Amino acid sequence: MTSLSEPAATSVLRHKTAIRRTSFSRPIKCLLRDGLLAASDALFDYGCGHGQDLALLGDLGIACRGWDPVYRPDAARVPADVVNLGYVINVIEEPHERTETLRRAWEMSRRLLVVAAQTEFAAPAKELSAFSDGVLTSRGTFQKYYTQAELRGYLEATLGATAIPAAPGIFYLFKCEENGHEFLANRFRRQAPVPPKRLSEVLFEQNQDILAPFMEALSLLGRIPGPEELSETSAIVERLGSLKRAFALVRRVTDEGTWKEIARRRNEDLLVYLALARFRRRPSFSKLPARTQRDVKAFFGSYNRSCSEADALLFRAGDATAIDEACQRSPVGVLRENALLLRKDTLHELDPLLRVYEGCARALLGDVEDANVVKLHRYSGKVSYLVYDDLDDGRQPTLRLRIKVSLRTLGIDVYRHSSPQPAPPA
Ligand SMILES: C[S@@+](CC[C@H](N)C(=O)[O-])C[C@H]1O[C@@H](n2cnc3c(N)ncnc32)[C@H](O)[C@@H]1O
């Protein structure tokens, strides 16, 4: 005898009805579209097949579980806010078992049951052999193709609740009649002035305690931190699946352009470092600090690639035309006939080529501590460091010292001044 809730043992190949999905099934799409699945909701997928809906909902951070007599027979059948009975009743050839399955799903739902079944529109044109109250398909599966009215009548008569059409072949049944009315009223309510929060925003807010330090690490590194670089890693993996998914969430909720810009700047910093490291004999990959090793892999894929890009940059620093063009494009400093003059504290705003150009001079000279202005010569391969007195206190500044480094001859000239000189750029 067939048990009330377990599938009947017949020659019908029910397991063959489950397809491998790559996107949400229609009933789940309806729930998301209609805002009936919040981040705080638990969902149970009754007759979940291969479980792709569960995996995709998990990616959104929704707590969900599922059971299937063929694919997850050992999973527990537990109550949930929302229960999905998606394309299950139409594959059960035994009407009594079908009704019991529907009732059980209804009992498990705390707020909403969504039921999807095949409709007559999906029925193949060719003649199929009649079986029970449906047909047997050529694959040996059973299908009951419902009309919209028939499905609605069946659901309402079986469960004693109102079945609200969500889409052809898909109905919502709310546990509390009031919720159904509220849903229908919302359907016709025109756009609210404040748009409802997206699921990702809610998830983002709920996980601020771990996402705030994660974002700090992201902006410091310009890339996803390694597990040893962030103490919140295991909490993030536990709650959001992986650091990669956490970053996808952060990008969705915050301004994606900002993260791209941070990554671009970190990438440039690394390139400048590697180009200038050539002067001291560039270390082998294994001698690089662990953080730099991660940077290299994240930004360039391999050390070889990063070194050849760095070498190309260093090589261009010897090209007067490239230097002149970069000086003309510079977002900081004042362009003079022969040089770009800039405040020393704006050096980091220069493009990587000019940072390397100046860095080469510093590699020869070291840091001129008191220098407050830098002169990048546009054509002659020289960099000068200028020390002004009284530069920012409102008085006429006086140029005290000027050190000129020639990158071509490697010569260093020092000039001392005592008389007032023209003021440098502000
Ligand atoms: C067409 S598939 C749908 C699977 C999934 N809900 C989806 O939409 O991808 C039908 C599923 O119902 C399951 N099934 C068959 N009899 C069942 C029963 N009595 N109770 C629950 N699920 C059943 C089958 O194992 C099969 O995985």
Side-chain angles (χ1 to χ4, degrees):
M1 198 183 121
T2 310
S3 90
L4 285 188
S5 52
E6 303 300 332
T10 66
S11 56
V12 170
L13 306 174
R14 282 192 204 165
H15 64 284
K16 280 200 169 178
T17 58
I19 53 169
R20 289 192 185 276
R21 300 185 178 282
T22 50
S23 59
F24 285 122
S25 64
R26 285 181 63 235
I28 300 292
K29 277 185 191 156
C30 288
L31 288 173
L32 293 170
R33 175 200 69 194
D34 294 335
L36 290 171
L37 210 46
S40 54
D41 283 336
L43 176 134
F44 194 89
D45 197 3
Y46 198 98
C48 60
H50 295 285
Q52 270 93 3
D53 274 330
L54 294 172
L56 292 166
L57 285 170
D59 285 352
L60 290 182
I62 293 188
C64 50
R65 300 170 74 165
W67 176 84
D68 191 285
V70 178
Y71 299 99
R72 290 191 193 206
D74 300 329
R77 281 174 274 182
V78 290
D81 303 308
V82 180
V83 172
N84 175 39
L85 188 64
Y87 302 106
V88 172
I89 58 170
N90 52 290
V91 305
I92 302 177
E93 70 284 2
E94 219 304 305
H96 181 61
E97 182 196 342
R98 190 188 301 150
T99 298
E100 283 311 303
T101 302
L102 175 61
R103 287 209 175 107
R104 179 145 192 187
W106 175 243
E107 276 159 23
M108 282 168 56
S109 92
R110 286 195 288 256
R111 195 180 81 236
L112 169 65
L113 172 68
V114 55
V115 181
Q118 291 291 5
T119 62
E120 54 185 343
F121 309 114
K126 62 181 177 198
E127 192 81 3
L128 296 169
S129 43
F131 189 89
S132 180
D133 58 350
V135 292
L136 264 191
T137 70
S138 52
R139 298 173 66 232
T141 61
F142 171 81
Q143 285 295 349
K144 177 157 175 59
Y145 296 105
Y146 288 88
T147 66
Q148 186 83 339
E150 182 189 10
L151 181 57
R152 182 181 201 155
Y154 171 60
L155 297 175
E156 293 192 338
T158 308
L159 304 178
T162 307
I164 299 173
I170 304 175
F171 286 89
Y172 296 140
L173 293 112
F174 287 93
K175 268 290 162 75
C176 162
E177 190 96 346
E178 235 181 279
N179 287 349
H181 293 310
E182 193 185 323
F183 167 73
L184 287 172
N186 282 342
R187 203 179 237 182
F188 296 105
R189 189 170 295 153
R190 280 169 291 177
Q191 201 185 358
V194 179
K197 277 190 180 160
R198 285 181 299 160
L199 203 59
S200 47
E201 283 170 356
V202 176
L203 199 59
F204 183 77
E205 280 167 20
Q206 280 173 348
N207 290 290
Q208 263 310 294
D209 57 326
I210 49 173
L211 288 178
F214 177 58
M215 287 194 292
E216 251 172 58
L218 282 173
S219 44
L220 179 77
L221 302 168
R223 58 168 169 79
I224 295 176
E228 77 288 357
E229 292 172 311
L230 182 70
S231 52
E232 286 78 9
T233 296
S234 52
I236 291 179
V237 173
E238 197 176 300
R239 285 196 239 164
L240 300 170
S242 66
L243 294 182
K244 229 170 156 181
R245 281 189 190 163
F247 187 36
L249 173 66
V250 167
R251 280 201 313 256
R252 271 202 299 275
V253 175
T254 60
D255 175 26
E256 180 157 21
T258 309
W259 299 111
K260 282 198 179 138
E261 178 58 15
I262 291 172
R264 191 188 62 76
R265 288 174 73 94
R266 295 284 167 262
N267 181 318
E268 281 183 6
D269 293 349
L270 180 61
L271 207 56
V272 170
Y273 158 73
L274 290 174
L276 294 171
R278 208 41 212 271
F279 281 101
R280 299 175 298 274
R281 207 165 151 266
R282 198 179 279 147
S284 65
F285 184 70
S286 60
K287 291 273 172 348
L288 291 175
R291 174 185 285 192
T292 313
Q293 290 186 6
R294 278 195 179 278
D295 290 343
V296 165
K297 284 196 191 135
F299 296 133
F300 297 98
S302 75
Y303 194 38
N304 270 350
R305 202 174 138 211
S306 64
C307 290
S308 37
E309 282 196 33
D311 287 346
L313 187 63
L314 186 60
F315 185 74
R316 276 204 302 135
D319 175 349
T321 312
I323 293 299
D324 176 39
E325 282 168 6
C327 286
Q328 293 186 44
R329 282 196 313 266
S330 175
V332 285
V334 172
L335 193 67
R336 295 271 158 84
E337 201 181 329
N338 288 323
L340 178 74
L341 274 176
L342 69 153
R343 294 296 186 111
K344 192 172 166 222
D345 55 11
T346 61
L347 278 173
H348 62 278
E349 296 294 332
L350 287 171
D351 98 7
L353 180 63
L354 293 183
R355 285 173 72 193
V356 168
Y357 185 57
E358 186 277 330
C360 289
R362 222 174 330 153
L364 288 173
L365 181 66
D367 221 332
V368 183
E369 281 158 345
D370 294 341
N372 32 28
V373 173
V374 178
K375 187 171 172 182
L376 302 176
H377 299 252
R378 290 167 62 182
Y379 313 109
S380 59
K382 289 180 192 136
V383 175
S384 300
Y385 294 90
L386 285 67
V387 180
Y388 279 89
D389 287 332
D390 310 322
L391 190 57
D392 288 314
D393 60 8
R395 286 183 281 169
Q396 158 138 36
T398 308
L399 178 62
R400 180 156 52 85
L401 184 68
R402 187 160 55 94
I403 304 180
K404 188 156 74 181
V405 181
S406 168
L407 301 177
R408 292 187 192 152
T409 65
L410 307 185
I412 296 174
D413 296 310
V414 178
Y415 306 90
R416 293 184 194 285
H417 299 265
S418 47
S419 54
Q421 296 285 315

